[in-house]
Amino acid sequence: HRPGESTTNLLKRELGLDGKPVFNAGGDCITSRESFHQWFHNDPHVNRVVPAKLKLAPTNTGTFVADLPHFFPIDGLGWGDITLGHNFWFTLELRHDFVYHGGEQLTFR
């Protein structure tokens, strides 16, 4: 996988029964269904759960945003800082309750 390129169809459209993303097809960036499963399921030999809070700031349009260009929530935690002083090697699972009225959009940069 080349930096700056995106890979589509990695995930199925619906979450699994456990509420986690479901692998669809790996392209050239995921080696197997089993390796992807480890991203969102605890395996003490492969990953560590590091709970953290993410503060969303209200905007003047009534939305909430976390605009954090230097977002390294697990620096010094988990397996440790690996590259250039930051831990870039993490998967974020975000859970938040909200009421869906219809038409709302979640936007990720």
Side-chain angles (χ1 to χ4, degrees):
H1 188 74
R2 291 187 283 272
E5 288 185 2
S6 61
T7 302
T8 59
N9 299 316
L10 288 176
L11 305 177
K12 294 192 177 180
R13 294 184 60 81
E14 302 290 325
L15 295 176
L17 295 176
D18 59 0
K20 310 278 185 174
V22 178
F23 180 77
N24 186 45
D28 61 354
C29 63
I30 298 175
T31 57
S32 69
R33 183 174 307 277
E34 292 75 21
S35 71
F36 177 78
H37 187 266
Q38 293 170 340
W39 293 9
F40 294 98
H41 297 83
N42 297 341
D43 181 332
H45 301 290
V46 177
N47 58 42
R48 294 185 177 168
V49 175
V50 180
K53 292 185 178 185
L54 178 62
K55 186 173 182 174
L56 301 174
T59 69
N60 58 3
T61 61
T63 63
F64 291 86
V65 65
D67 191 6
L68 307 167
H70 303 289
F71 183 65
F72 299 102
I74 63 170
D75 275 359
L77 304 171
W79 299 110
D81 296 336
I82 298 172
T83 306
L84 302 174
H86 291 294
N87 189 336
F88 291 89
W89 314 108
F90 65 92
T91 299
L92 175 68
E93 179 176 333
L94 175 67
R95 293 185 176 260
H96 181 71
D97 293 331
F98 63 92
V99 176
Y100 180 73
H101 298 283
E104 295 91 348
Q105 283 187 314
L106 298 175
T107 305
F108 301 93
R109 190 166 23 128

